[in-house]
Amino acid sequence: MVDVNEGYDAFCDFLEKHSGICLGTSKQYLVSSRLRKILQQESVRNLNELVSAISRPGGQKLKTAVIDAMTTNETLWFRDIHPFRILEEKLLPEFYGQRPSRPLRIWSAACSTGQEPYSISMMIEEYKARNRVFNSGEKIVATDISPSALAAAKSAEYAMLAIGRGLDTDRLKKHFEETPGGRWRVKPGIAQRVEFRAMNLQDSYALLGKFDIVFCRNVLIYFTADLKRDILTRIHATLNPGGYLLVGASEAVNGLGDLYEMVHCRPGIIYRKR
């Protein structure tokens, strides 16, 4: 039996340093449930021994596995529908109306297993067909820290259980094709807009380029106030003039009024780069 109390603080420090995730106090049950398999495989007696094993030469693989296991990959199609309605009713009409000659670029940060970026791509596809928009070259850069989540996202294939979480029958028929194994694959026209990259939000964004819209939703809640401010400040630098940031329903951009202007969309709030 692994003692998850001994070394808990050291493990929390490790996790925050390398992933940005701030566990806080009394989350030993979460650590135990997420790391059960790894703790058994490593035959460690407590979290101090686990952190020591990660720190030894050759511990990179274990470090990656631990961070991957501790990353929350909760997601669904068209999550919290309002951001996608705002994209459809405000952001896409504004972009295609004002910048018809430049390809649209969107960043989906902390994209998990791909449902958000593929949902964005479906919305673009439907909007362009409905409004006879002939622009091309849209790019959605989707990033995540979790290797296993990115592998699932890149495969563009989902079991029926995952498909059923937020995706209606019409969109399933329109944007997916069934595989011989009974799974559902995103059609090439939707998938080709999305480029997946491994990224820790604590790292530099310099190689990402500039964006018109950034989705950074339901991830900031796991970070400290200082790290959150740092991330939001650096996201601002990635936005083109007048670009937009969308955060989660329980998240807000506070204390950065010099960088972002709040835009009320009723329902929903988004942030425009100043």
Side-chain angles (χ1 to χ4, degrees):
M1 185 73 174
V2 177
D3 185 352
V4 292
N5 290 302
E6 185 175 344
Y8 177 73
D9 289 342
F11 179 77
C12 288
D13 289 343
F14 154 79
L15 190 64
E16 184 174 341
K17 177 181 179 181
H18 294 284
S19 73
I21 298 171
C22 182
L23 280 181
T25 59
S26 304
K27 292 292 181 69
Q28 287 89 339
Y29 71 95
L30 178 65
V31 174
S32 179
S33 62
R34 293 275 178 88
L35 298 185
R36 183 177 292 113
K37 184 177 179 180
I38 293 174
L39 294 171
Q40 291 173 348
Q41 289 174 342
E42 294 300 313
S43 300
V44 296
R45 291 172 296 181
N46 53 59
L47 293 179
N48 273 330
E49 290 189 2
L50 178 66
V51 173
S52 295
I54 291 169
S55 303
R56 288 196 292 266
Q60 181 61 43
K61 185 176 180 180
L62 176 59
K63 172 184 171 182
T64 300
V66 168
I67 292 174
D68 196 9
M70 290 303 301
T71 302
T72 301
N73 290 317
E74 172 67 21
T75 189
L76 61 155
W77 306 96
F78 298 93
R79 185 177 182 178
D80 307 324
I81 192 64
H82 297 314
F84 296 95
R85 287 182 177 155
I86 292 169
L87 177 67
E88 176 187 28
E89 297 171 6
K90 174 178 173 57
L91 304 187
L92 293 180
E94 182 176 309
F95 179 85
Y96 289 122
Q98 296 178 3
R99 306 171 185 85
S101 61
R102 180 165 61 78
L104 172 66
R105 295 193 86 242
I106 297 176
W107 177 15
S108 170
C111 69
S112 187
T113 47
Q115 281 87 335
E116 180 176 88
Y118 289 135
S119 294
I120 294 169
S121 186
M122 283 184 248
M123 189 63 75
I124 292 172
E125 186 82 1
E126 292 169 9
Y127 178 87
K128 289 176 67 176
R130 190 168 54 251
N131 294 279
R132 298 181 61 82
V133 173
F134 301 106
N135 301 53
S136 62
E138 298 92 353
K139 176 65 69 177
I140 302 161
V141 178
T143 65
D144 202 274
I145 194 174
S146 168
S148 63
L150 284 174
K154 289 176 181 178
S155 76
E157 288 189 11
Y158 299 89
M160 194 63 221
L161 182 63
I163 285 290
R165 302 192 67 215
L167 196 71
D168 60 47
T169 304
D170 287 343
R171 283 192 167 122
L172 177 61
K173 292 178 179 178
K174 186 185 298 182
H175 301 304
F176 290 76
E177 51 196 15
E178 191 170 8
T179 70
R183 293 168 66 84
W184 291 86
R185 181 185 297 117
V186 180
K187 287 184 177 179
I190 300 300
Q192 68 185 8
R193 287 195 187 96
V194 186
E195 175 190 338
F196 291 99
R197 300 187 195 179
M199 167 169 266
N200 185 330
L201 285 174
Q202 296 181 105
D203 295 341
S204 171
Y205 306 162
L207 297 179
L208 293 178
K210 293 288 189 177
F211 298 97
D212 301 293
I213 304 167
V214 173
F215 283 71
C216 186
R217 305 169 58 236
N218 307 304
V219 65
L220 296 174
I221 53 174
Y222 299 107
F223 301 147
T224 64
D226 286 345
L227 179 55
K228 194 182 305 181
R229 183 182 181 87
D230 173 61
I231 289 171
L232 290 171
T233 300
R234 291 188 293 124
I235 285 176
H236 178 270
T238 72
L239 284 167
N240 284 317
Y244 290 95
L245 166 66
L246 289 80
V247 298
S250 62
E251 299 166 327
V253 177
N254 297 320
L256 292 171
D258 57 327
L259 300 181
Y260 294 98
E261 173 191 3
M262 186 183 296
V263 179
H264 293 270
C265 297
R266 296 181 179 83
I269 294 172
I270 61 175
Y271 299 88
R272 183 191 289 123
K273 176 175 180 170
R274 289 190 184 275

